Structures are given as C-alpha cells and as structure tokens.
Amino acid sequence: MSGDHRTPALLLFGMFVAVTLAITTWVSRNRRGSAEEFYAGGRLFSPMENGFAIAGDYMSAASFLGVTGLIALFGYDGLLYVVGFFVAWLVVLFFVAELVRNCGRFTLADVVAARMSERPVRIAAGASSVTVSVLYLVAQMVGAGSLVALLFGSTSEAARAWTVIVVGALMVIYVSLGGMRATTWIQIVKAVLLLGGTVALTVLVLVRFHGDVDGMLRTAAQRSGHGEAFLAPGLKYGGSWTARIDFISLGLALVLGTAGLPHILSRFYTVPTARAARRSVVWSIGLIGGFYLMTVVLGFGAAALVGPDAVRESNAAGNTAVPLLALTLGGGAGSTGGTVLFAMVAAIAFATILAVVAGITLASSASVAHDLYASLRRRRTEPRSEVTVARVAAVGIGVVAIALGLLARDLNAAFLVGLAFAVSASANLPVLMYTLFWRGFTTRGAQWAVYGGLVPALGLVLLSPVVSGSPESLFPAVDFQYFPLQNPGIVSVPLGFLAGWLGTVTSPEPADEAKHAETEVRSLTGAGAV
C-alpha cells in the first residue's frame, strides 16, 4: 500500500492505543491491588457492560479477518465457521454461565476444585487453560502479521516480526498494569468500534448491489471460478470422505469449544450475580449474532467485488479480504474514499487484535498464578504475591505467543482458532460438565478428563497435515503426518469424556457426595457464591 494509506491507518491505530493506554494508566492509579480487583475487576460491571466486553473478547481477528477470508475463498464452506461460532453460545447460555458464576471465583479450576482434591485438579485445569489460551493468542498474532504486510505493501519478515512484538508488548502492558478492569473497558471500546465499522462496510456492500443480495451471491460465484459450486457445500470440505469428516470434526470443536474457553469463562466473574452473568450472555448473543450476519455479507461481498484470486494473491490464507474490500468500496487504490475506508478497517483490525490478546493473556496469567503457582507451592500464597506472579506470567505468555505467532504466520487465523476450540472442547468441557452434573465424579476422573482430552488433541495436531506433509504445513520440508484430519475434535472430544468416565469408575476413592450436594445447591441458587 502507498504512504497515503499507511499514514491515516497508523494515526487511527495510534489514537486507539493512546486511549487504551490512558484507560490502563487511570485504572492502575485507582486499583486496590487485590486479587479480586486484578482478576475480576471488583465484580462491578453491569450485564450490558459485560455483554459488550464478552462480545469484544469473542469477536476476534479470526472472525473479522479469518472468517470473512474463508467465505471469500470457499463460499458456503467458509460460512460454516459462522454457524459454529454462533451456535456455540446456546451451550454457554443454557449450561455454563450461571452455574460457573455461582461455583467459581476467578478460573475454571475454581469450579472443579469446589468438590475435588484441590491441588491435582488445579494443576490439570490450569495447564489446559494456559495451552488453550496460547493457541488462541497465536491466531491473533497471525492476524496482526497479515494485516501489517498488507498495510506496508510488503511481505517483509522483519515487518511482520516487529508487528507481532509490538502487539505482544502492548498486551503485557494492558494486563500487568490494568488487570481485568482496564481489559474490560478496552474490550467495550473495541466492540463498539468493530460493530460500527462492520455496519458501515455492510451498508456500503449492500448499497453497491442496490440491496440485491441474490445479485451479490451470483456475482461472487461467477468471479470465484467455481460457478454454482461456490454457493454449495463441498468446495473445501467435500472433496473426499476425509475432508467431510474433517468438517464434522471442526463443527464439533466450534460448537463445544466456546464453553471451555478460559477468557470467556473468566468474564462471568466480573458481574455481581449469576443472574447478571446470564443477562450478560443474552446481550453478547445479540451483539455477536448481528456481527456474524454481517461477516457473511462482507465475505461474499469481497468475493464479488475484489475476487478470490486478488484476495489469495495478497494473502494465501485470505486474512486480508476485509481490508481489500474496504479499499475497493472506497474507490480503489489512490482514491480518498479508499484511503479512509482502508485506514478505518486496518485500525479496527489492529484494535481487535490488541483487545482480544489482552483478554486472553489475562485469563492465562490468572491460570498460571491462581492455579499452577498457588498449587505447586506447599505453603499458602498471599493474594498480593499471587497478583505479582500473574503479572510476571503475562510477560512469559506474551513471549511464547510471539514466538509461535511468527512460526505459524502463513496459516489462516480462523483455522488456528478452530484448533484452540478443539483443545478447549476436548480438555476443559468434559471436566466442567462432569463436575457440574455428575454426582459420582471423582478427583481421578477430573484429572483423566483433562489429560485424556488435552494430550490426544495436541498429539493428533502434531501428527496432522497442519504441522507436516504438505506445502501449507508449518514444516513443509518434512513429513511425519500420520493423522489425516486437520482438526482433531472428532477423536479428542469423545476421548476426553471417555477418560473422565473411566477415571471415575476405576477410582479407589468414592465421590464426596456431601461436597457435590453443596456445589449443586450453590450452582443452582447462588447460596454461598463469592
């Protein structure tokens, strides 16, 4: 892109960074320094505020850049990501939100430890939460690298590397200084910006086609080179039985994975009551549903106006479809309208990445400090010491996410999030469901449920085409591909549930029915909830 495009985009992005840093600085001066303040923002947010923050947390670079890119490249099959991401919220609404808010304090492990031997289950759940968070962070880093490559008109590895490093540094600052309160307000600001920008682009696409959605779809099919097949199932996941099973695996991961995402679960602790948590989810469903409906228009609009070939030429994974669409809608390269729209989309995308990585980093650093560190130390950890460890952990997690983001820079952001969802659905969801609804669940069952889903999910990814054996792999020069599917969910999710059941029925210790009864009353009524 020319300097005309870069300057306004960087100015708008700079304004967002300045505003969010100001919020972080203000919060850091007014915080009490307690664990409740750092992890949960003092539990003072209203359902509407938390609903916007949840939406801001969930509407990530994978959605704004990755999903629209997949729709632009693969049509109907890309649309399937939208369905999976949105339907998942019904599981959260009916089975998770209120119960988790009543049972836990800061993390997923709090819910499990309420009725189990605390130390082993905290270590297991904490390790799983950190793994899921790091995988999710990598997707955001990949989106950042793709965006900067387009913004500067260069595929320079140095430009991508510095972008990822800057994003990582900013997320560490947000988390370590501002904690949950600053992160929540950053999410709210970002959600408003993202929804506003998406509405503007959607209106412009519909105006370009005079409101004729059918005409837009026909044009997209013609420019795709696939004709009517672009609007039918099978372009990406219908070539073989392996591809079809891969789609089922992906759908399973997307629908079930949201309920186990650590940064989503932690948001339910920022409101004062379980009723407020449920109302937060209702708010977020409305916002997220509207957003995903608009991404469908943007994806097919990019296919119709930009063309899949131009999108693929800019970024093979399709992560730059929306910025290219904005440039085209504004009048093309060199036009004032194109410059303004491109700058707006680039700045919003950067803001999206920064806000989401802040939320994920906070959740993962909380798992390190509140679950792993506190459990591995033999003596009780003081709350202030725990918060200090969480701030240090944010730095370490940032470094790991930066390194992995540079390694996976050529993969689609939405696809990478699908892997994170698969691990979440395999390791976190089984232990959460069993803890909440199975009276006979034991400590051994909890450990086996986590490790029985986590280890197979990671192992199958390492042995899949994602890592080796194809030109699109992380390591294309080597081949240790033994598992044919790109997403392990169809195997690892049942294994997680099976391992939890097997660990329970073979456990030498009986389930603590008194603790289960206490947890059940607390989860359903809120009696004794923090």
PDB file of all heavy atoms in Angstrom, residues 23 28 60 122 132 139 145 159 193 206 251 260 274 282 294 306 354 408 440 442 450 468 506 515 528 530:
ATOM      1  N   ILE A  23      -6.675   4.624  29.559  1.00  0.00           N
ATOM      2  CA  ILE A  23      -7.582   3.855  30.421  1.00  0.00           C
ATOM      3  C   ILE A  23      -6.780   2.991  31.380  1.00  0.00           C
ATOM      4  O   ILE A  23      -7.059   2.927  32.592  1.00  0.00           O
ATOM      5  CB  ILE A  23      -8.512   2.976  29.561  1.00  0.00           C
ATOM      6  CG1 ILE A  23      -9.501   3.847  28.771  1.00  0.00           C
ATOM      7  CG2 ILE A  23      -9.285   1.984  30.438  1.00  0.00           C
ATOM      8  CD1 ILE A  23     -10.322   3.071  27.755  1.00  0.00           C
ATOM      9  N   SER A  28      -4.803   1.789  36.757  1.00  0.00           N
ATOM     10  CA  SER A  28      -3.678   1.366  37.602  1.00  0.00           C
ATOM     11  C   SER A  28      -3.482   2.311  38.780  1.00  0.00           C
ATOM     12  O   SER A  28      -3.015   1.895  39.842  1.00  0.00           O
ATOM     13  CB  SER A  28      -2.397   1.296  36.761  1.00  0.00           C
ATOM     14  OG  SER A  28      -2.001   2.579  36.320  1.00  0.00           O
ATOM     15  N   SER A  60     -12.957 -11.768  17.450  1.00  0.00           N
ATOM     16  CA  SER A  60     -11.506 -11.631  17.368  1.00  0.00           C
ATOM     17  C   SER A  60     -11.055 -11.395  15.931  1.00  0.00           C
ATOM     18  O   SER A  60     -11.862 -11.284  15.004  1.00  0.00           O
ATOM     19  CB  SER A  60     -10.851 -12.901  17.910  1.00  0.00           C
ATOM     20  OG  SER A  60     -11.170 -14.000  17.068  1.00  0.00           O
ATOM     21  N   ARG A 122      -6.343 -28.504  40.151  1.00  0.00           N
ATOM     22  CA  ARG A 122      -5.909 -27.150  39.769  1.00  0.00           C
ATOM     23  C   ARG A 122      -4.737 -27.212  38.795  1.00  0.00           C
ATOM     24  O   ARG A 122      -4.671 -26.431  37.832  1.00  0.00           O
ATOM     25  CB  ARG A 122      -5.518 -26.342  41.005  1.00  0.00           C
ATOM     26  CG  ARG A 122      -6.693 -25.754  41.757  1.00  0.00           C
ATOM     27  CD  ARG A 122      -6.268 -24.667  42.719  1.00  0.00           C
ATOM     28  NE  ARG A 122      -7.402 -24.149  43.455  1.00  0.00           N
ATOM     29  CZ  ARG A 122      -8.239 -23.224  42.987  1.00  0.00           C
ATOM     30  NH1 ARG A 122      -8.060 -22.732  41.774  1.00  0.00           N
ATOM     31  NH2 ARG A 122      -9.248 -22.810  43.717  1.00  0.00           N
ATOM     32  N   VAL A 132      -4.787 -23.744  25.890  1.00  0.00           N
ATOM     33  CA  VAL A 132      -5.846 -23.206  25.022  1.00  0.00           C
ATOM     34  C   VAL A 132      -5.597 -21.718  24.752  1.00  0.00           C
ATOM     35  O   VAL A 132      -5.717 -21.246  23.611  1.00  0.00           O
ATOM     36  CB  VAL A 132      -7.230 -23.420  25.661  1.00  0.00           C
ATOM     37  CG1 VAL A 132      -8.312 -22.694  24.862  1.00  0.00           C
ATOM     38  CG2 VAL A 132      -7.549 -24.903  25.754  1.00  0.00           C
ATOM     39  N   ALA A 139      -3.345 -17.279  16.964  1.00  0.00           N
ATOM     40  CA  ALA A 139      -4.232 -16.854  15.880  1.00  0.00           C
ATOM     41  C   ALA A 139      -4.276 -15.333  15.756  1.00  0.00           C
ATOM     42  O   ALA A 139      -4.272 -14.772  14.651  1.00  0.00           O
ATOM     43  CB  ALA A 139      -5.639 -17.403  16.105  1.00  0.00           C
ATOM     44  N   GLY A 145       0.203 -10.074  11.823  1.00  0.00           N
ATOM     45  CA  GLY A 145       1.246 -10.138  10.803  1.00  0.00           C
ATOM     46  C   GLY A 145       0.695  -9.966   9.403  1.00  0.00           C
ATOM     47  O   GLY A 145       1.275  -9.263   8.569  1.00  0.00           O
ATOM     48  N   ALA A 159       9.054  -6.807   9.023  1.00  0.00           N
ATOM     49  CA  ALA A 159       7.858  -6.019   9.329  1.00  0.00           C
ATOM     50  C   ALA A 159       6.860  -6.845  10.140  1.00  0.00           C
ATOM     51  O   ALA A 159       6.293  -6.376  11.126  1.00  0.00           O
ATOM     52  CB  ALA A 159       7.215  -5.523   8.032  1.00  0.00           C
ATOM     53  N   LEU A 193     -16.251  -0.013  18.337  1.00  0.00           N
ATOM     54  CA  LEU A 193     -15.551   0.324  17.092  1.00  0.00           C
ATOM     55  C   LEU A 193     -15.756  -0.753  16.031  1.00  0.00           C
ATOM     56  O   LEU A 193     -16.044  -0.449  14.864  1.00  0.00           O
ATOM     57  CB  LEU A 193     -14.054   0.500  17.360  1.00  0.00           C
ATOM     58  CG  LEU A 193     -13.612   1.739  18.133  1.00  0.00           C
ATOM     59  CD1 LEU A 193     -12.117   1.676  18.417  1.00  0.00           C
ATOM     60  CD2 LEU A 193     -13.945   3.008  17.343  1.00  0.00           C
ATOM     61  N   LEU A 206     -24.096  -3.536   0.494  1.00  0.00           N
ATOM     62  CA  LEU A 206     -25.492  -3.678   0.060  1.00  0.00           C
ATOM     63  C   LEU A 206     -25.902  -2.541  -0.867  1.00  0.00           C
ATOM     64  O   LEU A 206     -26.647  -2.752  -1.831  1.00  0.00           O
ATOM     65  CB  LEU A 206     -26.414  -3.736   1.286  1.00  0.00           C
ATOM     66  CG  LEU A 206     -26.237  -4.978   2.175  1.00  0.00           C
ATOM     67  CD1 LEU A 206     -27.126  -4.888   3.404  1.00  0.00           C
ATOM     68  CD2 LEU A 206     -26.539  -6.262   1.390  1.00  0.00           C
ATOM     69  N   GLY A 251     -16.786 -28.704  13.158  1.00  0.00           N
ATOM     70  CA  GLY A 251     -18.062 -28.265  13.721  1.00  0.00           C
ATOM     71  C   GLY A 251     -18.218 -28.649  15.178  1.00  0.00           C
ATOM     72  O   GLY A 251     -18.686 -27.859  16.007  1.00  0.00           O
ATOM     73  N   GLY A 260     -15.640 -23.866  27.035  1.00  0.00           N
ATOM     74  CA  GLY A 260     -14.455 -24.151  27.827  1.00  0.00           C
ATOM     75  C   GLY A 260     -13.336 -23.146  27.657  1.00  0.00           C
ATOM     76  O   GLY A 260     -12.239 -23.349  28.200  1.00  0.00           O
ATOM     77  N   ALA A 274     -25.201 -14.304  39.521  1.00  0.00           N
ATOM     78  CA  ALA A 274     -25.390 -15.257  38.430  1.00  0.00           C
ATOM     79  C   ALA A 274     -26.436 -14.748  37.438  1.00  0.00           C
ATOM     80  O   ALA A 274     -26.325 -14.986  36.231  1.00  0.00           O
ATOM     81  CB  ALA A 274     -25.816 -16.611  38.991  1.00  0.00           C
ATOM     82  N   VAL A 282     -26.986 -13.000  27.220  1.00  0.00           N
ATOM     83  CA  VAL A 282     -28.062 -12.589  26.305  1.00  0.00           C
ATOM     84  C   VAL A 282     -27.635 -11.362  25.505  1.00  0.00           C
ATOM     85  O   VAL A 282     -27.835 -11.290  24.278  1.00  0.00           O
ATOM     86  CB  VAL A 282     -29.358 -12.306  27.095  1.00  0.00           C
ATOM     87  CG1 VAL A 282     -30.429 -11.732  26.180  1.00  0.00           C
ATOM     88  CG2 VAL A 282     -29.862 -13.582  27.761  1.00  0.00           C
ATOM     89  N   MET A 294     -23.295  -9.981   9.545  1.00  0.00           N
ATOM     90  CA  MET A 294     -22.631  -9.007   8.682  1.00  0.00           C
ATOM     91  C   MET A 294     -21.353  -9.563   8.059  1.00  0.00           C
ATOM     92  O   MET A 294     -21.005  -9.204   6.932  1.00  0.00           O
ATOM     93  CB  MET A 294     -22.341  -7.726   9.474  1.00  0.00           C
ATOM     94  CG  MET A 294     -23.594  -6.947   9.845  1.00  0.00           C
ATOM     95  SD  MET A 294     -23.283  -5.352  10.629  1.00  0.00           S
ATOM     96  CE  MET A 294     -22.743  -5.862  12.259  1.00  0.00           C
ATOM     97  N   VAL A 306     -13.832  -7.891  -4.937  1.00  0.00           N
ATOM     98  CA  VAL A 306     -12.369  -7.999  -5.001  1.00  0.00           C
ATOM     99  C   VAL A 306     -11.963  -9.214  -5.817  1.00  0.00           C
ATOM    100  O   VAL A 306     -11.049  -9.146  -6.651  1.00  0.00           O
ATOM    101  CB  VAL A 306     -11.767  -8.091  -3.577  1.00  0.00           C
ATOM    102  CG1 VAL A 306     -10.249  -8.216  -3.646  1.00  0.00           C
ATOM    103  CG2 VAL A 306     -12.175  -6.896  -2.743  1.00  0.00           C
ATOM    104  N   LEU A 354      -5.443  -6.252  19.524  1.00  0.00           N
ATOM    105  CA  LEU A 354      -4.909  -5.823  20.822  1.00  0.00           C
ATOM    106  C   LEU A 354      -5.867  -6.146  21.963  1.00  0.00           C
ATOM    107  O   LEU A 354      -5.459  -6.642  23.017  1.00  0.00           O
ATOM    108  CB  LEU A 354      -4.645  -4.318  20.802  1.00  0.00           C
ATOM    109  CG  LEU A 354      -3.350  -3.849  20.169  1.00  0.00           C
ATOM    110  CD1 LEU A 354      -3.251  -2.332  20.264  1.00  0.00           C
ATOM    111  CD2 LEU A 354      -2.153  -4.491  20.847  1.00  0.00           C
ATOM    112  N   ALA A 408       3.774 -19.643  12.835  1.00  0.00           N
ATOM    113  CA  ALA A 408       2.532 -20.010  12.140  1.00  0.00           C
ATOM    114  C   ALA A 408       1.998 -18.884  11.270  1.00  0.00           C
ATOM    115  O   ALA A 408       0.807 -18.846  10.965  1.00  0.00           O
ATOM    116  CB  ALA A 408       1.477 -20.420  13.162  1.00  0.00           C
ATOM    117  N   GLY A 440     -21.340 -38.698  40.887  1.00  0.00           N
ATOM    118  CA  GLY A 440     -20.291 -39.646  41.240  1.00  0.00           C
ATOM    119  C   GLY A 440     -18.901 -39.283  40.746  1.00  0.00           C
ATOM    120  O   GLY A 440     -17.968 -40.086  40.871  1.00  0.00           O
ATOM    121  N   THR A 442     -15.137 -38.043  40.423  1.00  0.00           N
ATOM    122  CA  THR A 442     -14.062 -38.048  41.418  1.00  0.00           C
ATOM    123  C   THR A 442     -12.852 -37.244  40.950  1.00  0.00           C
ATOM    124  O   THR A 442     -12.784 -36.816  39.796  1.00  0.00           O
ATOM    125  CB  THR A 442     -13.597 -39.482  41.699  1.00  0.00           C
ATOM    126  OG1 THR A 442     -13.008 -40.026  40.485  1.00  0.00           O
ATOM    127  CG2 THR A 442     -14.756 -40.358  42.149  1.00  0.00           C
ATOM    128  N   VAL A 450      -9.193 -34.128  31.875  1.00  0.00           N
ATOM    129  CA  VAL A 450      -8.376 -33.052  31.315  1.00  0.00           C
ATOM    130  C   VAL A 450      -7.252 -33.621  30.461  1.00  0.00           C
ATOM    131  O   VAL A 450      -7.109 -33.278  29.278  1.00  0.00           O
ATOM    132  CB  VAL A 450      -7.804 -32.170  32.442  1.00  0.00           C
ATOM    133  CG1 VAL A 450      -6.810 -31.151  31.858  1.00  0.00           C
ATOM    134  CG2 VAL A 450      -8.913 -31.438  33.179  1.00  0.00           C
ATOM    135  N   SER A 468       3.059 -31.005   9.225  1.00  0.00           N
ATOM    136  CA  SER A 468       3.997 -31.509   8.222  1.00  0.00           C
ATOM    137  C   SER A 468       3.247 -32.241   7.114  1.00  0.00           C
ATOM    138  O   SER A 468       2.059 -32.541   7.232  1.00  0.00           O
ATOM    139  CB  SER A 468       5.009 -32.471   8.871  1.00  0.00           C
ATOM    140  OG  SER A 468       4.364 -33.676   9.266  1.00  0.00           O
ATOM    141  N   THR A 506     -12.892 -46.263  37.880  1.00  0.00           N
ATOM    142  CA  THR A 506     -11.752 -47.040  38.396  1.00  0.00           C
ATOM    143  C   THR A 506     -11.106 -46.373  39.603  1.00  0.00           C
ATOM    144  O   THR A 506     -10.092 -46.868  40.106  1.00  0.00           O
ATOM    145  CB  THR A 506     -10.682 -47.215  37.302  1.00  0.00           C
ATOM    146  OG1 THR A 506     -10.193 -45.922  36.889  1.00  0.00           O
ATOM    147  CG2 THR A 506     -11.246 -47.947  36.090  1.00  0.00           C
ATOM    148  N   LYS A 515     -19.992 -32.821  49.286  1.00  0.00           N
ATOM    149  CA  LYS A 515     -19.484 -31.668  48.536  1.00  0.00           C
ATOM    150  C   LYS A 515     -20.270 -31.465  47.246  1.00  0.00           C
ATOM    151  O   LYS A 515     -20.503 -30.333  46.817  1.00  0.00           O
ATOM    152  CB  LYS A 515     -17.996 -31.860  48.216  1.00  0.00           C
ATOM    153  CG  LYS A 515     -17.074 -31.519  49.364  1.00  0.00           C
ATOM    154  CD  LYS A 515     -15.624 -31.473  48.894  1.00  0.00           C
ATOM    155  CE  LYS A 515     -14.698 -31.025  50.018  1.00  0.00           C
ATOM    156  NZ  LYS A 515     -13.287 -30.967  49.592  1.00  0.00           N
ATOM    157  N   GLY A 528     -23.962 -18.912  48.981  1.00  0.00           N
ATOM    158  CA  GLY A 528     -22.548 -19.097  49.276  1.00  0.00           C
ATOM    159  C   GLY A 528     -21.620 -18.685  48.165  1.00  0.00           C
ATOM    160  O   GLY A 528     -20.394 -18.831  48.292  1.00  0.00           O
ATOM    161  N   VAL A 530     -19.334 -16.354  45.766  1.00  0.00           N
ATOM    162  CA  VAL A 530     -18.479 -15.197  46.065  1.00  0.00           C
ATOM    163  C   VAL A 530     -19.057 -13.958  45.418  1.00  0.00           C
ATOM    164  O   VAL A 530     -19.439 -13.990  44.248  1.00  0.00           O
ATOM    165  CB  VAL A 530     -17.058 -15.441  45.537  1.00  0.00           C
ATOM    166  CG1 VAL A 530     -16.195 -14.218  45.801  1.00  0.00           C
ATOM    167  CG2 VAL A 530     -16.454 -16.658  46.192  1.00  0.00           C
TER     168      VAL A 530
END
